[in-house]
Amino acid sequence: RPVIFSGMQPSSDSLHLGNYLGALVNWVALQDAYDPIYCVVDLHAITVQQDPEALRQNVRRTAAQYLAAGIDLDRSTLFVQSHVPAHAELAWVLGSMTGFGEASRMTQFKDKSAKQGSDATTVGLFTYPVLMAADILLYGTHLVPVGDDQRQHLELTRDLANRFNARYGETMVVPEALIGKESARIYDLQEPTAKMSKSAGSEAGLVKLLDEPSITAKKFRSAVTDTEREIRFDPASKPGISNLLGIYAAVTGKSIDALEREYAGRGYGDLKKELAELVVDTIAPIRARTLELMQDPAELDRLLAIGAEKASDRAERMLRDVYDRVGFVRRG
Ligand code: TYM
């Protein structure tokens, strides 16, 4: 069965609606036909400073949200990145094959570092995409379900896989990105031209899976729209309404066309209220289940240890092959 790999950073106290619709929904759906590996990427999270106790809590909380959303351990492998040292080890090898200029062209790095200034920007943030390539290539991954913002990182991963194969012989599977349509880019409800994000954007525009339902509903009711009255999908001139329609489509599976017809002649208030209910109905059970799972951190740790064991076996095999091909002497 084709291998799926994906991950999220445990860098906040809750996943948000962009993480959920852009990635997690697809992760759940793909479990039947694939061999999926889902990771909590804590090594990536520390590329910006984290509070240690908060990080520990957020790692478990992220794993709990995967499970609560429907990741099923009979079908999927779920583990924490730092439990499998091969990720950092392969990243070193790949980093030694990545051009400085090539890494410098990553737009996420450019955006983040421009905001921070060069001394606050870590070397880890710079090599972040190389570690991500290592995550993916360690498992012979065929498909990587992610949001649209990861497209360029996936291109780098493919380039590195091809480069490794050309230099050392067929070793790596060259992976494809799997990016949804309506759900690939969810925007901030207050700033609908900026992507919904735990670090940028506004608190009021960020819909968190673990927010109380009343807060989620309020965030939708106060979503920024425009001064027209027509419910029409037009991201350039109506970013707010278009984002709401995109979220609506992603949550219900209805097409944007069908939604435009359904809401023809009706007001923005109706759209916001009905969408708020739909989103709350979708995420409230995930929130409840996450809080339940968080009651028993020892059990979560036990499940994560089983996942780490499974992932390690596979990752070690690839790393050994890579080390041989690169020309390292095996430890006798
Ligand atoms: P992270 O934690 O920033 O995002 C996790 C996933 O959520 C998607 N996403 C969105 N999708 C739609 N609209 C949004 N506003 C939005 N915001 C976030 C992201 O595209 C991502 O799929 N670098 C990865 C983490 C990672 C990874 C990997 C992913 C590390 N190694 C290997 C896949 C394979 C990231 O952005 O995480």
Side-chain angles (χ1 to χ4, degrees), residues 75-102:
R75 292 177 289 166
S76 295
T77 300
L78 163 62
F79 75 104
V80 177
Q81 191 183 29
S82 64
H83 292 174
V84 180
H87 289 251
E89 293 169 311
L90 181 61
W92 183 261
V93 175
L94 295 176
S96 306
M97 311 174 48
T98 308
F100 188 83
E102 190 177 27

PDB file of all heavy atoms in Angstrom, residues 75-102:
ATOM      1  N   ARG A  75      -4.970   1.436  11.972  1.00  0.00           N
ATOM      2  CA  ARG A  75      -4.652   1.649  10.560  1.00  0.00           C
ATOM      3  C   ARG A  75      -3.470   2.592  10.347  1.00  0.00           C
ATOM      4  O   ARG A  75      -2.859   2.606   9.284  1.00  0.00           O
ATOM      5  CB  ARG A  75      -5.883   2.204   9.825  1.00  0.00           C
ATOM      6  CG  ARG A  75      -7.017   1.189   9.720  1.00  0.00           C
ATOM      7  CD  ARG A  75      -8.238   1.794   9.060  1.00  0.00           C
ATOM      8  NE  ARG A  75      -8.890   2.749   9.936  1.00  0.00           N
ATOM      9  CZ  ARG A  75      -9.817   3.612   9.543  1.00  0.00           C
ATOM     10  NH1 ARG A  75     -10.184   3.655   8.275  1.00  0.00           N
ATOM     11  NH2 ARG A  75     -10.380   4.439  10.396  1.00  0.00           N
ATOM     12  N   SER A  76      -3.185   3.443  11.341  1.00  0.00           N
ATOM     13  CA  SER A  76      -2.153   4.470  11.178  1.00  0.00           C
ATOM     14  C   SER A  76      -1.075   4.345  12.234  1.00  0.00           C
ATOM     15  O   SER A  76      -1.336   3.882  13.336  1.00  0.00           O
ATOM     16  CB  SER A  76      -2.783   5.862  11.302  1.00  0.00           C
ATOM     17  OG  SER A  76      -3.687   6.088  10.258  1.00  0.00           O
ATOM     18  N   THR A  77       0.116   4.798  11.877  1.00  0.00           N
ATOM     19  CA  THR A  77       1.196   4.913  12.851  1.00  0.00           C
ATOM     20  C   THR A  77       1.249   6.359  13.317  1.00  0.00           C
ATOM     21  O   THR A  77       1.276   7.276  12.497  1.00  0.00           O
ATOM     22  CB  THR A  77       2.540   4.527  12.188  1.00  0.00           C
ATOM     23  OG1 THR A  77       2.444   3.178  11.729  1.00  0.00           O
ATOM     24  CG2 THR A  77       3.693   4.657  13.164  1.00  0.00           C
ATOM     25  N   LEU A  78       1.242   6.563  14.616  1.00  0.00           N
ATOM     26  CA  LEU A  78       1.260   7.909  15.186  1.00  0.00           C
ATOM     27  C   LEU A  78       2.429   8.004  16.153  1.00  0.00           C
ATOM     28  O   LEU A  78       2.567   7.172  17.056  1.00  0.00           O
ATOM     29  CB  LEU A  78      -0.064   8.166  15.919  1.00  0.00           C
ATOM     30  CG  LEU A  78      -0.133   9.328  16.904  1.00  0.00           C
ATOM     31  CD1 LEU A  78       0.120  10.645  16.195  1.00  0.00           C
ATOM     32  CD2 LEU A  78      -1.488   9.354  17.594  1.00  0.00           C
ATOM     33  N   PHE A  79       3.299   8.983  15.953  1.00  0.00           N
ATOM     34  CA  PHE A  79       4.461   9.085  16.845  1.00  0.00           C
ATOM     35  C   PHE A  79       4.974  10.514  16.932  1.00  0.00           C
ATOM     36  O   PHE A  79       4.549  11.393  16.185  1.00  0.00           O
ATOM     37  CB  PHE A  79       5.577   8.140  16.374  1.00  0.00           C
ATOM     38  CG  PHE A  79       6.312   8.642  15.158  1.00  0.00           C
ATOM     39  CD1 PHE A  79       7.586   9.189  15.280  1.00  0.00           C
ATOM     40  CD2 PHE A  79       5.726   8.608  13.900  1.00  0.00           C
ATOM     41  CE1 PHE A  79       8.273   9.657  14.170  1.00  0.00           C
ATOM     42  CE2 PHE A  79       6.403   9.083  12.785  1.00  0.00           C
ATOM     43  CZ  PHE A  79       7.672   9.613  12.918  1.00  0.00           C
ATOM     44  N   VAL A  80       5.905  10.702  17.870  1.00  0.00           N
ATOM     45  CA  VAL A  80       6.527  12.008  18.098  1.00  0.00           C
ATOM     46  C   VAL A  80       7.918  12.006  17.452  1.00  0.00           C
ATOM     47  O   VAL A  80       8.716  11.102  17.677  1.00  0.00           O
ATOM     48  CB  VAL A  80       6.632  12.290  19.615  1.00  0.00           C
ATOM     49  CG1 VAL A  80       7.348  13.596  19.870  1.00  0.00           C
ATOM     50  CG2 VAL A  80       5.245  12.278  20.260  1.00  0.00           C
ATOM     51  N   GLN A  81       8.161  13.039  16.684  1.00  0.00           N
ATOM     52  CA  GLN A  81       9.396  13.116  15.883  1.00  0.00           C
ATOM     53  C   GLN A  81      10.679  12.909  16.708  1.00  0.00           C
ATOM     54  O   GLN A  81      11.568  12.166  16.301  1.00  0.00           O
ATOM     55  CB  GLN A  81       9.414  14.493  15.212  1.00  0.00           C
ATOM     56  CG  GLN A  81      10.446  14.708  14.136  1.00  0.00           C
ATOM     57  CD  GLN A  81      10.363  16.163  13.650  1.00  0.00           C
ATOM     58  OE1 GLN A  81       9.983  17.066  14.404  1.00  0.00           O
ATOM     59  NE2 GLN A  81      10.695  16.379  12.385  1.00  0.00           N
ATOM     60  N   SER A  82      10.778  13.531  17.869  1.00  0.00           N
ATOM     61  CA  SER A  82      12.023  13.431  18.651  1.00  0.00           C
ATOM     62  C   SER A  82      12.238  12.031  19.224  1.00  0.00           C
ATOM     63  O   SER A  82      13.321  11.726  19.718  1.00  0.00           O
ATOM     64  CB  SER A  82      12.039  14.466  19.787  1.00  0.00           C
ATOM     65  OG  SER A  82      11.005  14.190  20.713  1.00  0.00           O
ATOM     66  N   HIS A  83      11.225  11.170  19.166  1.00  0.00           N
ATOM     67  CA  HIS A  83      11.398   9.789  19.622  1.00  0.00           C
ATOM     68  C   HIS A  83      12.145   8.945  18.603  1.00  0.00           C
ATOM     69  O   HIS A  83      12.534   7.817  18.898  1.00  0.00           O
ATOM     70  CB  HIS A  83      10.033   9.132  19.911  1.00  0.00           C
ATOM     71  CG  HIS A  83       9.333   9.733  21.088  1.00  0.00           C
ATOM     72  ND1 HIS A  83       8.054   9.401  21.457  1.00  0.00           N
ATOM     73  CD2 HIS A  83       9.732  10.669  21.987  1.00  0.00           C
ATOM     74  CE1 HIS A  83       7.692  10.094  22.525  1.00  0.00           C
ATOM     75  NE2 HIS A  83       8.698  10.874  22.860  1.00  0.00           N
ATOM     76  N   VAL A  84      12.297   9.456  17.398  1.00  0.00           N
ATOM     77  CA  VAL A  84      12.956   8.693  16.332  1.00  0.00           C
ATOM     78  C   VAL A  84      14.150   9.514  15.829  1.00  0.00           C
ATOM     79  O   VAL A  84      14.017  10.371  14.962  1.00  0.00           O
ATOM     80  CB  VAL A  84      11.969   8.383  15.185  1.00  0.00           C
ATOM     81  CG1 VAL A  84      12.644   7.583  14.081  1.00  0.00           C
ATOM     82  CG2 VAL A  84      10.753   7.610  15.726  1.00  0.00           C
ATOM     83  N   PRO A  85      15.350   9.225  16.390  1.00  0.00           N
ATOM     84  CA  PRO A  85      16.523  10.050  16.083  1.00  0.00           C
ATOM     85  C   PRO A  85      16.890  10.085  14.599  1.00  0.00           C
ATOM     86  O   PRO A  85      17.574  11.015  14.154  1.00  0.00           O
ATOM     87  CB  PRO A  85      17.657   9.394  16.891  1.00  0.00           C
ATOM     88  CG  PRO A  85      17.003   8.471  17.854  1.00  0.00           C
ATOM     89  CD  PRO A  85      15.617   8.191  17.393  1.00  0.00           C
ATOM     90  N   ALA A  86      16.441   9.101  13.837  1.00  0.00           N
ATOM     91  CA  ALA A  86      16.793   9.056  12.412  1.00  0.00           C
ATOM     92  C   ALA A  86      16.360  10.315  11.660  1.00  0.00           C
ATOM     93  O   ALA A  86      16.960  10.668  10.644  1.00  0.00           O
ATOM     94  CB  ALA A  86      16.167   7.808  11.765  1.00  0.00           C
ATOM     95  N   HIS A  87      15.333  11.016  12.165  1.00  0.00           N
ATOM     96  CA  HIS A  87      14.893  12.243  11.475  1.00  0.00           C
ATOM     97  C   HIS A  87      16.005  13.287  11.456  1.00  0.00           C
ATOM     98  O   HIS A  87      16.323  13.862  10.421  1.00  0.00           O
ATOM     99  CB  HIS A  87      13.626  12.810  12.141  1.00  0.00           C
ATOM    100  CG  HIS A  87      12.421  11.970  11.900  1.00  0.00           C
ATOM    101  ND1 HIS A  87      11.396  12.364  11.085  1.00  0.00           N
ATOM    102  CD2 HIS A  87      12.095  10.727  12.332  1.00  0.00           C
ATOM    103  CE1 HIS A  87      10.476  11.409  11.040  1.00  0.00           C
ATOM    104  NE2 HIS A  87      10.878  10.405  11.796  1.00  0.00           N
ATOM    105  N   ALA A  88      16.584  13.514  12.622  1.00  0.00           N
ATOM    106  CA  ALA A  88      17.652  14.509  12.706  1.00  0.00           C
ATOM    107  C   ALA A  88      18.896  14.032  11.954  1.00  0.00           C
ATOM    108  O   ALA A  88      19.619  14.816  11.353  1.00  0.00           O
ATOM    109  CB  ALA A  88      17.983  14.785  14.172  1.00  0.00           C
ATOM    110  N   GLU A  89      19.109  12.712  11.980  1.00  0.00           N
ATOM    111  CA  GLU A  89      20.306  12.157  11.328  1.00  0.00           C
ATOM    112  C   GLU A  89      20.214  12.256   9.808  1.00  0.00           C
ATOM    113  O   GLU A  89      21.166  12.654   9.139  1.00  0.00           O
ATOM    114  CB  GLU A  89      20.502  10.706  11.780  1.00  0.00           C
ATOM    115  CG  GLU A  89      20.845  10.631  13.270  1.00  0.00           C
ATOM    116  CD  GLU A  89      20.800   9.227  13.833  1.00  0.00           C
ATOM    117  OE1 GLU A  89      19.803   8.508  13.597  1.00  0.00           O
ATOM    118  OE2 GLU A  89      21.753   8.823  14.512  1.00  0.00           O
ATOM    119  N   LEU A  90      19.067  11.912   9.257  1.00  0.00           N
ATOM    120  CA  LEU A  90      18.930  12.034   7.799  1.00  0.00           C
ATOM    121  C   LEU A  90      18.945  13.511   7.397  1.00  0.00           C
ATOM    122  O   LEU A  90      19.469  13.869   6.337  1.00  0.00           O
ATOM    123  CB  LEU A  90      17.640  11.363   7.299  1.00  0.00           C
ATOM    124  CG  LEU A  90      17.453  11.440   5.777  1.00  0.00           C
ATOM    125  CD1 LEU A  90      18.593  10.740   5.029  1.00  0.00           C
ATOM    126  CD2 LEU A  90      16.108  10.844   5.350  1.00  0.00           C
ATOM    127  N   ALA A  91      18.403  14.373   8.246  1.00  0.00           N
ATOM    128  CA  ALA A  91      18.392  15.808   7.933  1.00  0.00           C
ATOM    129  C   ALA A  91      19.824  16.321   7.756  1.00  0.00           C
ATOM    130  O   ALA A  91      20.085  17.171   6.905  1.00  0.00           O
ATOM    131  CB  ALA A  91      17.669  16.594   9.029  1.00  0.00           C
ATOM    132  N   TRP A  92      20.749  15.782   8.552  1.00  0.00           N
ATOM    133  CA  TRP A  92      22.144  16.229   8.401  1.00  0.00           C
ATOM    134  C   TRP A  92      22.692  15.859   7.016  1.00  0.00           C
ATOM    135  O   TRP A  92      23.332  16.664   6.343  1.00  0.00           O
ATOM    136  CB  TRP A  92      23.029  15.638   9.510  1.00  0.00           C
ATOM    137  CG  TRP A  92      24.415  16.166   9.382  1.00  0.00           C
ATOM    138  CD1 TRP A  92      25.483  15.546   8.808  1.00  0.00           C
ATOM    139  CD2 TRP A  92      24.857  17.475   9.764  1.00  0.00           C
ATOM    140  NE1 TRP A  92      26.570  16.381   8.808  1.00  0.00           N
ATOM    141  CE2 TRP A  92      26.220  17.568   9.389  1.00  0.00           C
ATOM    142  CE3 TRP A  92      24.237  18.570  10.380  1.00  0.00           C
ATOM    143  CZ2 TRP A  92      26.969  18.728   9.616  1.00  0.00           C
ATOM    144  CZ3 TRP A  92      24.986  19.714  10.608  1.00  0.00           C
ATOM    145  CH2 TRP A  92      26.331  19.785  10.230  1.00  0.00           C
ATOM    146  N   VAL A  93      22.401  14.629   6.611  1.00  0.00           N
ATOM    147  CA  VAL A  93      22.886  14.177   5.299  1.00  0.00           C
ATOM    148  C   VAL A  93      22.263  15.033   4.193  1.00  0.00           C
ATOM    149  O   VAL A  93      22.958  15.517   3.292  1.00  0.00           O
ATOM    150  CB  VAL A  93      22.544  12.678   5.079  1.00  0.00           C
ATOM    151  CG1 VAL A  93      22.926  12.235   3.672  1.00  0.00           C
ATOM    152  CG2 VAL A  93      23.238  11.817   6.138  1.00  0.00           C
ATOM    153  N   LEU A  94      20.966  15.243   4.269  1.00  0.00           N
ATOM    154  CA  LEU A  94      20.283  16.016   3.222  1.00  0.00           C
ATOM    155  C   LEU A  94      20.730  17.480   3.246  1.00  0.00           C
ATOM    156  O   LEU A  94      20.863  18.115   2.197  1.00  0.00           O
ATOM    157  CB  LEU A  94      18.763  15.932   3.395  1.00  0.00           C
ATOM    158  CG  LEU A  94      18.151  14.539   3.204  1.00  0.00           C
ATOM    159  CD1 LEU A  94      16.650  14.586   3.506  1.00  0.00           C
ATOM    160  CD2 LEU A  94      18.391  14.005   1.788  1.00  0.00           C
ATOM    161  N   GLY A  95      20.971  18.001   4.450  1.00  0.00           N
ATOM    162  CA  GLY A  95      21.438  19.389   4.555  1.00  0.00           C
ATOM    163  C   GLY A  95      22.780  19.568   3.877  1.00  0.00           C
ATOM    164  O   GLY A  95      23.091  20.644   3.349  1.00  0.00           O
ATOM    165  N   SER A  96      23.549  18.491   3.842  1.00  0.00           N
ATOM    166  CA  SER A  96      24.861  18.539   3.207  1.00  0.00           C
ATOM    167  C   SER A  96      24.765  18.417   1.693  1.00  0.00           C
ATOM    168  O   SER A  96      25.772  18.478   0.995  1.00  0.00           O
ATOM    169  CB  SER A  96      25.752  17.421   3.771  1.00  0.00           C
ATOM    170  OG  SER A  96      25.787  17.507   5.182  1.00  0.00           O
ATOM    171  N   MET A  97      23.546  18.243   1.213  1.00  0.00           N
ATOM    172  CA  MET A  97      23.331  18.198  -0.246  1.00  0.00           C
ATOM    173  C   MET A  97      22.414  19.327  -0.709  1.00  0.00           C
ATOM    174  O   MET A  97      21.951  19.325  -1.842  1.00  0.00           O
ATOM    175  CB  MET A  97      22.648  16.883  -0.655  1.00  0.00           C
ATOM    176  CG  MET A  97      23.280  15.643  -0.101  1.00  0.00           C
ATOM    177  SD  MET A  97      22.305  14.157  -0.490  1.00  0.00           S
ATOM    178  CE  MET A  97      22.015  14.377  -2.228  1.00  0.00           C
ATOM    179  N   THR A  98      22.103  20.247   0.201  1.00  0.00           N
ATOM    180  CA  THR A  98      21.185  21.340  -0.132  1.00  0.00           C
ATOM    181  C   THR A  98      21.998  22.607  -0.343  1.00  0.00           C
ATOM    182  O   THR A  98      22.865  22.924   0.483  1.00  0.00           O
ATOM    183  CB  THR A  98      20.194  21.579   1.024  1.00  0.00           C
ATOM    184  OG1 THR A  98      19.578  20.344   1.368  1.00  0.00           O
ATOM    185  CG2 THR A  98      19.126  22.602   0.645  1.00  0.00           C
ATOM    186  N   GLY A  99      21.745  23.304  -1.421  1.00  0.00           N
ATOM    187  CA  GLY A  99      22.452  24.561  -1.661  1.00  0.00           C
ATOM    188  C   GLY A  99      21.997  25.625  -0.675  1.00  0.00           C
ATOM    189  O   GLY A  99      20.829  25.671  -0.291  1.00  0.00           O
ATOM    190  N   PHE A 100      22.945  26.473  -0.292  1.00  0.00           N
ATOM    191  CA  PHE A 100      22.594  27.583   0.596  1.00  0.00           C
ATOM    192  C   PHE A 100      21.572  28.496  -0.087  1.00  0.00           C
ATOM    193  O   PHE A 100      20.576  28.918   0.521  1.00  0.00           O
ATOM    194  CB  PHE A 100      23.863  28.365   0.957  1.00  0.00           C
ATOM    195  CG  PHE A 100      23.635  29.405   2.001  1.00  0.00           C
ATOM    196  CD1 PHE A 100      23.644  29.071   3.346  1.00  0.00           C
ATOM    197  CD2 PHE A 100      23.398  30.723   1.635  1.00  0.00           C
ATOM    198  CE1 PHE A 100      23.422  30.037   4.314  1.00  0.00           C
ATOM    199  CE2 PHE A 100      23.173  31.693   2.596  1.00  0.00           C
ATOM    200  CZ  PHE A 100      23.182  31.352   3.941  1.00  0.00           C
ATOM    201  N   GLY A 101      21.803  28.735  -1.368  1.00  0.00           N
ATOM    202  CA  GLY A 101      20.873  29.584  -2.127  1.00  0.00           C
ATOM    203  C   GLY A 101      19.508  28.928  -2.252  1.00  0.00           C
ATOM    204  O   GLY A 101      18.470  29.576  -2.137  1.00  0.00           O
ATOM    205  N   GLU A 102      19.537  27.629  -2.479  1.00  0.00           N
ATOM    206  CA  GLU A 102      18.301  26.863  -2.615  1.00  0.00           C
ATOM    207  C   GLU A 102      17.451  26.999  -1.341  1.00  0.00           C
ATOM    208  O   GLU A 102      16.252  27.286  -1.403  1.00  0.00           O
ATOM    209  CB  GLU A 102      18.712  25.393  -2.830  1.00  0.00           C
ATOM    210  CG  GLU A 102      17.640  24.433  -3.224  1.00  0.00           C
ATOM    211  CD  GLU A 102      18.227  23.038  -3.467  1.00  0.00           C
ATOM    212  OE1 GLU A 102      19.278  22.676  -2.876  1.00  0.00           O
ATOM    213  OE2 GLU A 102      17.616  22.299  -4.266  1.00  0.00           O
TER     214      GLU A 102
END
